[in-house]
Amino acid sequence: MTTSTAPIAARTASAGTLKRALALPALLFLVIFLFPFIAGPHYVILMFSAMGYAIALLGLNLLFGYTGLLSLGHAMFLAIGAYTAGYMTSTRITNFELILLVAVAIGVTVAVPIGLHPQTRHKNLRGCEQTGSRVVQWAHITPTADCVLCCQDYHDQYKVGNLKEQSLNEILSGPKMALLRRWVYGVDEAPDDFICRGCIYALTA
């Protein structure tokens, strides 16, 4: 393959991969769309429950599976919507669209003030209570081999090295990690916008 044709072949292969990746979700959506017309009422009701659990589990997988955070708020907001739907049904309100809209509206009404609640800014840092974030004992590695300060650094703001360029021992004993470690444990004064100052797992004096 010549140099001039290599980019064309790469784009063709990429387009083919994208089509195959989109084919399965498209097929699944088609099956879900046609299911009520093919299956009986009993199976349609079962599908309602299955899809409800699927929505809840997707959210839980995003929080607990990818970030390692066990969110009790996730369950609470789902329960608020579920109890709202159950109460409306018990009062002989059977309009599904109305029940769904009211349940979502009440859940959002409770969730938004909690999400917008001002976060406490810690002054005197003294470490971290999150086991996976103790910067002395753990290394947090991203898919691109970057090592970051902790599991709460979702945007890779505090990079301390890359395993493609350095050994793990070099990164953990390097100057960047040493500086961040001193900030976390309050040996040196951390900047006002340091991630630990707004973290719920930060230990303070």
Side-chain angles (χ1 to χ4, degrees):
M1 185 181 294
T2 64
T3 304
S4 60
T5 59
I8 298 175
R11 286 196 297 270
T12 303
S14 178
T17 303
L18 179 62
K19 288 180 180 179
R20 288 192 296 272
L22 294 176
L24 181 58
L27 180 62
L28 290 175
F29 277 117
L30 180 62
V31 171
I32 292 171
F33 176 77
L34 295 177
F35 190 82
F37 302 100
I38 299 173
H42 173 69
Y43 294 101
V44 172
I45 293 174
L46 291 179
M47 180 59 74
F48 275 135
S49 300
M51 297 307 293
Y53 283 120
I55 293 172
L57 290 174
L58 282 172
L60 187 60
N61 182 53
L62 175 63
L63 287 170
F64 192 58
Y66 285 93
T67 67
L69 300 176
L70 179 58
S71 173
L72 299 179
H74 178 91
M76 180 183 72
F77 301 139
L78 179 66
I80 288 172
Y83 277 105
T84 300
Y87 176 77
M88 294 180 68
T89 304
S90 69
T91 58
R92 301 185 184 278
I93 298 175
T94 58
N95 186 307
F96 176 74
E97 289 79 8
L98 177 62
I99 293 174
L100 182 62
L101 288 174
V102 172
V104 170
I106 293 179
V108 169
T109 301
V110 175
V112 168
I114 295 175
L116 295 178
H117 188 274
Q119 198 172 34
T120 301
R121 303 297 296 178
H122 305 298
K123 294 183 179 180
N124 301 315
L125 297 175
R126 291 295 184 270
C128 177
E129 69 176 16
Q130 178 83 334
T131 302
S133 297
R134 291 177 182 166
V135 293
V136 172
Q137 302 136 319
W138 294 76
H140 299 271
I141 305 169
T142 71
T144 57
D146 286 321
C147 289
V148 296
L149 175 63
C150 75
C151 63
Q152 301 297 305
D153 188 5
Y154 304 128
H155 303 291
D156 301 343
Q157 185 178 0
Y158 297 94
K159 294 180 182 179
V160 293
N162 188 288
L163 288 175
K164 296 178 182 178
E165 303 169 357
Q166 303 164 273
S167 70
L168 183 58
N169 183 59
E170 289 173 337
I171 293 173
L172 291 178
S173 60
K176 291 183 179 179
M177 195 64 176
L179 176 61
L180 292 176
R181 194 178 289 124
R182 291 198 300 271
W183 286 352
V184 171
Y185 288 95
V187 177
D188 291 345
E189 188 69 18
D192 291 338
D193 60 349
F194 185 49
I195 186 172
C196 295
R197 292 201 183 278
C199 182
I200 61 173
Y201 300 111
L203 297 175
T204 59

